[in-house]
Amino acid sequence: MNKLNISLSYQQLASLIDHGHLCAADLQCLDKETKQALWQMCLIHCQQRIHCKNVVCQPQTKVSDVV
């Protein structure tokens, strides 16, 4: 199984994105309303992380580099 269909509250998803644990680009919206809400969430939370130096924000960083 390559994909899971799950449900998260807006607050839970925003928190995961805000803390850099999840990238909105990794998500596939299943309806128009969700896509619009995710887009708005990105405008708010991703913009705040644009200059983040946290290791989890750096896509080229490997887990072996962190440990």
Side-chain angles (χ1 to χ4, degrees), residues 1-64:
M1 179 177 218
N2 292 334
K3 294 189 177 192
L4 301 172
N5 294 319
I6 63 169
S7 177
L8 295 171
S9 72
Y10 182 94
Q11 291 80 11
Q12 289 171 324
L13 183 56
S15 178
L16 290 171
I17 291 173
D18 192 43
H19 289 93
H21 299 298
L22 185 63
C23 177
D26 296 329
L27 303 173
Q28 180 182 10
C29 298
L30 301 179
D31 59 60
K32 182 180 174 181
E33 292 80 15
T34 301
K35 184 174 183 175
Q36 187 169 4
L38 182 60
W39 180 75
Q40 289 292 325
M41 187 184 300
C42 283
L43 289 177
I44 296 166
H45 296 280
C46 297
Q47 182 182 21
Q48 294 170 0
R49 301 188 56 74
I50 198 164
H51 299 293
C52 181
K53 302 294 184 203
N54 192 329
V55 174
V56 294
C57 300
Q58 308 302 319
Q60 67 275 10
T61 303
K62 298 176 185 172
V63 174
S64 60

